[in-house]
Amino acid sequence: MNVCRSKKLLSVLFTFSVSISFAQRNQIIPIETQHNVIALQVGNDLRVSTAYFGTKLKDTSEYRFVRQMYRRGDDYSGILNSAYTPAGSRNLVEPAIEVRHANGNTSLDLYFVSSAVEKTDANVSVTNILLRDSAYALEVSLFFKVYYKEDVVEQWTVIRNKEKGNVTLQKYASANLYLTGDQYWLKQFHGDWAKEMQPEVTRLTAGIKVLDTKLGTRAHLYQPPTFMVSLDKPATEDEGKVLLGQLEWSGNFKVDLEVDPLNNLRLIAGINPFASEYTLKPNQQFETPAFVFTFSDKGTGEASRNLHRWARNYKLYDGKGDRMTLLNNWEATFFNFDEPILAGLLKDTKKLGVDLFLLDDGWFGNNYPRNNDRAGLGDWQENVKKLPHGVGFLVREAENNGVKFGIWVEPEMVNPKSDLYLKHPEWVIKQPNRQEHLYRNQLVLDLSNPKVQNFVFGILDTLFTKNPNLAFIKWDCNAVIYNAYSSFLEKQSHLYVDYVKGLYNVLDRVRAKYPKVEMMLCSGGGGRVDYGALKYFNEFWLSDNTDPLERVFIQYEYSYFYPAISHSNHVTDWGKQPLKYRTDVAMMGKLGFDIVVSKLSPKDLEFAQKAVKTYDSIKTIIWQGDMYRLADPRENPYASVMYVNELKDKAVMFNYITSNRYGAGSLSPIKLKGLDPAKKYKIREINIYQESRFGNGSNNSYSGDYLMTVGYNPGVNSNRMSVVLQIEEAK
Ligand code: GLA
């Protein structure tokens, strides 16, 4: 750097720093929810750091003393607790942001410029902290959106290039938290198709543990973007300090959990920088997706309920709204159906008493009929052999039967055996000079290309324009991205990011035009479940694994992060459990069926019909109530979960045997939660297959105090494999 330029820079830095008063320099910026705080501190040197994270104190001025109480060694860099760690200056650990300036220089050092709070309403506010580099015209705004009552924070950043040339973002995290405990315990999830949400708890030790995905379109073939971290010791349902978090992004994510040399936990979450350098032209900015988290010092139960409330109130599409029960034909017919078969299923839908019939995969493609998963994807015209009168006829038939009609699409994908592939090979993500590698015989369309976005929007738009009464969409996404290459993009390293942006662009357009349609998010089971996508979807498909015993476990783990109203659960023929068990399990969310109704025995049919009615009478408690996990099937031979409404005068408790060992069952009472200790409750067994010994329960009424201190025994065992109890205030 020549002398003249460096003098100029020094004078810029000087003017910039003297304009900031002493009070501003040493200020604490408390970002507070009802119970918690992230207390940021502007240092004397104008760097912004985390002074404290956790349960909030009454006197905000005391946050400045917290760090002094720790004698864990020296922080040589002075920025281990940076609020947004820049790479290339004094940093020695994992950065949150790494850039290459227009002149090729890779250093960054960020200083406080200003902060502001904007209140949206009594509950929601956004704190915005502006940081600027001292030597380069690069700005970063840190945003913290606070949902006060729910104890939830969404955090993201905006990075602005004010330089004269292009700036390359090499890493651009959304959040950089700094947690302090004696120990850190991570609960992460992994899995595979039909094995979603397998939990694993490990202690974090010095160094970095990375949770990430590089699959492009979906995270959870291997790992979903959700996790939790407990401080000091693993949190239990009712005890312990725990953070539940996830990146609201449907593509590649990366979470670095670094136990630093001072035994603090640096948590950096954002888009995965893997193969994703992002170029900003002069005056361009990049807004990262939000990292959402909640923190509780009262265990995972409270943390989940906070997250559920937040999701229903602010994030999940129509989170407070209604949902339709349904009959789906995937397991019942797979690809083998035609108009008469579907006409029969529409009658069965009515007979069962559910609201809607959902036609799954296999209804389209003519030159390449979709009779299996090897052909047809991309050709969204009705198959004339299977549906000679089109979807319109089925929608009308459904109406004639007094039910609604929904349909499956997988609009982001293409089979090489399709007209679309032949017509638009340039729309397909694949390397020009390498052999294609298929996932489920298909490839991914290049959603970074606006023409492809139009095409994908057009699939939905055409369906709705032709069939305005179409009431439901199941949006699937099976394939991952192999051979990542876009023939549209100039910069290949933008593909993973621009794919997701393109997807959101399409979903924005779909939602703007079709706000009322119920949409289910599916991805070869639960491959793409995150709040970035759930902003557009009413519900998600948890797993293709509908074996009810497996589902008890899978639903239990999902329940940490997502409210029951978002869980699409179908009764199918998977598993060995009786219909009652399968139905009870599916009721703990949004109930659907995927069975051949005409093959049900008269008794089973009668039970299923009654179950739909019972479900209608309790669904609001399940959907909008508070959820309490009472017994973890990983720790007991049974599982127990209950939902309590806001007034605490109605609750439902679901209990399942999960072991077939001799004598296994609920040998002791299970303590209920969330009731009013002063209220008296009556307990009644519902959804009974046939009158059992317990029948409709006794006439006793119990105080909430009794039920929460002593508990109640649902009498679940190998003869009573699943028991649903309705708990109502005795008036
Ligand atoms: C995916 C979904 C299933 C079903 C099939 C159809 O695997 O998870 O529910 O829709 O696709 O091909």
Side-chain angles (χ1 to χ4, degrees), residues 193 196 218 328 330-331 334-335 358-362 364 370 372-373 377 408-410 440 442 474-478 520 522-527 541 543-545 570 594:
W193 177 80
E196 288 84 347
R218 49 184 290 188
N328 184 202
W330 176 240
E331 302 268 330
F334 292 104
F335 297 94
L358 170 62
L359 175 59
D360 216 284
D361 195 358
F364 48 88
R370 181 77 172 167
N372 50 53
D373 63 17
L377 214 49
W408 177 98
V409 290
E410 192 178 8
R440 205 194 188 206
Q442 65 197 55
K474 175 176 176 184
W475 182 304
D476 211 338
C477 157
N478 278 284
M520 183 208 287
C522 174
S523 176
W541 185 234
S543 174
D544 280 348
N545 189 340
H570 292 180
D594 195 348

